[in-house]
Amino acid sequence: MALDRRAFLKSAAAASAASAVGIAVPQNVEAAAQDVQKEWRWDKAACRFCGTGCGIMLATKEGRIVAVKGDPAAPVNRGLNCIKGYFNAKIMYGADRLKTPLLRMNDKGEFDKHGKFRPVTWQRAFDEMEKHAKKALKASGPEGVAVFASGQYTIMEGYAAQKMMKGGFRSNAIDPNARHCMASAVVGFYQTFGIDEPSGCYDDIEITDTIVTWGSNMAEMHPILWSRVSDRKLSNPERVKIINIQTYTHRTCDIGDINIIFSPNTDLALWNYIAREIVYRDKKGGGKEDIIDWDFVNENLVFTAGPVNIGYGMRRAGEKSIKEGKYTALEMQTIDKEMKKKVSAKEAPSLEPYGYKEGQEMENTAGTLKHWHISFEAYKKSLEPYTLDYVAKIAKGDPNESLESFKQKLQALADYYIEKDRKIVSFWTMGMNQHTRGTWVNTLSYNVHFMLNKQAVPGSGAFSLTGQPSACGTAREVGTFCHRLPADMMVKNPKHRAKAEKVWGIPAGTLNPVGNQHIMKIHRDIEDGIVKFAWVNVCNAYQDSASASHWIKAAREMDNFIVTSDGYPGISAKVSDLVLPSAMIYEKWGAYGNAERRTQHWRQQVLPVGNAMSDTWQWVEFAKRFTVKDLWGAYTLRNGKKLPDVIADAKKMGYSEDTTMYEILFANERAKSYKVDTSVFPQKGFDNSEALGDSRKVKGSDGKVFEGYGFMIHEYLFEEYASFGRGHGHDLAPFEVYHRVRGLKWPVVDGKETQWRFNVKYDPYAAKAVKESGSKSTHAFYGPLAKNLPHGDLKGVTDKKKSSLKNKAKIFARPYMDPPEMPDETYDTWLCTGRVLEHWHSGTMTMRVPELFRAVPEALCYMNPKDAKEKGVKRGELVWVESRRGKVKARVETRGRNRPAQGLVFVPWFDEKVFINKVCLDATCPMSKQTDYKKCAVKIYKA
């Protein structure tokens, strides 16, 4: 039968994808595919979605992407894609794609916050942005201009945004949505290793004997990695074990040898139980076994502790919106615990070693990163409460499971970790990171691995899997957090600021040392009237933040100007005053960094739709609107800190008062040295809308046709950023190299990537540190942060004299504590949120792919059948899910892929019509400021 053109193209694409993974296809279909592909251009790229970092191949024809397949040469996915990955092209071609700037205006054509969106030129859009940003600076100084940044920025976009915000506006109020997804992992890395990002890599999967997932539905959230886990299990079913530790049953549990369902927050107790088994069964801990590798521990580790009364990262008494009564009495029932709380019977045993008793009032001090040396005996004392009986009693999450069965699972879990010759990997994602004690639970994972010498070795280690495609490469490594600079440098460190000022060619003293406006504080500062100008970049800040009704009301009703750059009109765009159309991933040059430290680059494959332009272009054009005189005068911050006037120093550097930030930060002499040459690799044959302009003849920020910058801006931004880390343990390869390879895991030294950091055998920085120290250690934990500590016990510092722990890592004593909101008589059910396989984050892209929308058209309320029966609701019926903050309607599912035990419901957050973040609590880990979306209390009733 003859094929029509569409079917012919689809069969050709399917044949190409099949051949990529070695699947045989009919000869006639293969011949047809080869014939049609003669007109296609194939090129490599990175997948747009999660932090796995899969490689894909894109086929273009006549300026449009016509096919996508997995890249067989990509070491991460080896030719496979997940269901979202195969639709990377379709996310760009939705019917309501944004193509021109939109401004709220009245009938006279004037900006009106209550007006309707009307199309405007790029010039008019930047006019309005300039006016309102300058107004915000005048009202609140640098703290009044803010950016909701992203773990989905390309590396170049994030670096451009950071330069303009921190070097231009002198504002540290830029923070990514990555704060929501892995900030706890980051602080856990910093506190434990003194440096960010995992020590291991995905290669551990094929080497290990045991995979333990902690709060991670890898089967849906990291499906390509789960395919590798499944393959490893099938390669040796008797030896290889999979253990899943979750708050509800899901697809990852389907091949688990042991599935442990625990009560929310008690993962803290589970880790401490395993540690107790290790310590108390070891001879030095009073037992009869040789379990702890004391040579490794004594050479490489110290024991530490910190305060426990650190609150829950919520608003505090005295803040403006609290005093003005913007929070209801119901909301304050939870928020009041930020200031003080009573120690419960459940947590009292775990807090007793720290000096607290049941019923005692705990006065909370806002989260601190402080910690100190303690002895092994003190650490052992901290573990004493975590007996099998106590932990089983507080942690059992399924009321229908017997206590004895749960205990047997816990004992088996500990035994698998302890088994001498067993390699073991602990994977986690949001379950451990989105947690009011997220930093604590991250550090507890390393405790177990360290004591057994099962960290930073092939096949063993604790490994935080990242959610977003460049949460590592951009948010963390570029440093688009409010407190960071590139390559693990910090804004509060004067030496780090001096280095950044030198690289950026700006006067000494320009950079702001106060970096505390994390993403939830930006929302709160808008509600308090401090932030007057906020720009949403490559995220959906008004859908992805908990207690969402507060932030939407503040954005719409207060005196501010909100801008959203996006490909589609999501909730954030609808909340905004100005919407800018952004080029999407393959409409621009870019680079991402994945969860195993792998940096990957791609070239622009097609032109952007309409008048859309990249976020890099938007930032660089915005920089043209501000001069030395506009931004570099003196300011006084809220805390009284004064930023000096650096205009005179700028003049000494050759700038004038009228020199623009564009000229200083983006079109300087170094930038212009990166030439555009379309006759050489990797530029040859590919569009470059920023460097050269393009055939659309888009009228730019000055009202004239944009003809390009005339230099290779992508290479310049990448190479300048990379200069921060080279020679400092974050070494990246040259720009051109990444276009020839399928990514490299940093540090890249002498052209070679690093698989296992801190291990002398694999990491040249570890080998160098050990050689310089004269030791014979197998490891060197060379991270420089927080490596001089005072001494104390579990209750505090007893000796302020600091001692160095150069090249050492830390084992932390940290207790189980209750979350700030737990089910009670009124709100009797736990709510957990998260993602599903078919949709990405807020669904702004994937809900516009017909195949993905048909597969999962709405967010469901996954509920245990017994709970549904007790509440008088049936599968398919609508219920209200209500908390102290708000309520949403959702359809009940009792037989689906997610199978909660009684007492818990799961509602995904991709569906803006089931706006579950209106229900969630904006409590955070007080140390990392990462929101806990995994637990709050709700009531469920028939709608």
Side-chain angles (χ1 to χ4, degrees), residues 159 163 503-504 670 716-724:
Y159 186 64
K163 281 190 81 174
V503 173
W504 291 349
R670 180 176 181 176
Y716 158 61
L717 290 170
F718 180 79
E719 287 295 335
E720 184 179 274
Y721 147 66
S723 71
F724 283 94

Side-chain angles (χ1 to χ4, degrees), residues 103 111 124-133 561 578:
L103 177 69
F111 166 67
R124 175 68 188 280
F126 281 109
D127 286 346
E128 292 292 339
M129 291 173 70
E130 176 189 352
K131 179 173 72 175
H132 288 281
F561 191 76
L578 173 66

Side-chain angles (χ1 to χ4, degrees), residues 799-820:
D799 182 356
K800 293 182 179 180
K801 185 179 179 181
K802 294 183 178 181
S803 57
S804 172
L805 50 144
K806 186 177 181 180
N807 292 335
K808 291 181 182 287
K810 302 166 196 167
I811 290 173
F812 279 91
R814 280 171 166 161
Y816 163 76
M817 289 186 71
D818 295 337

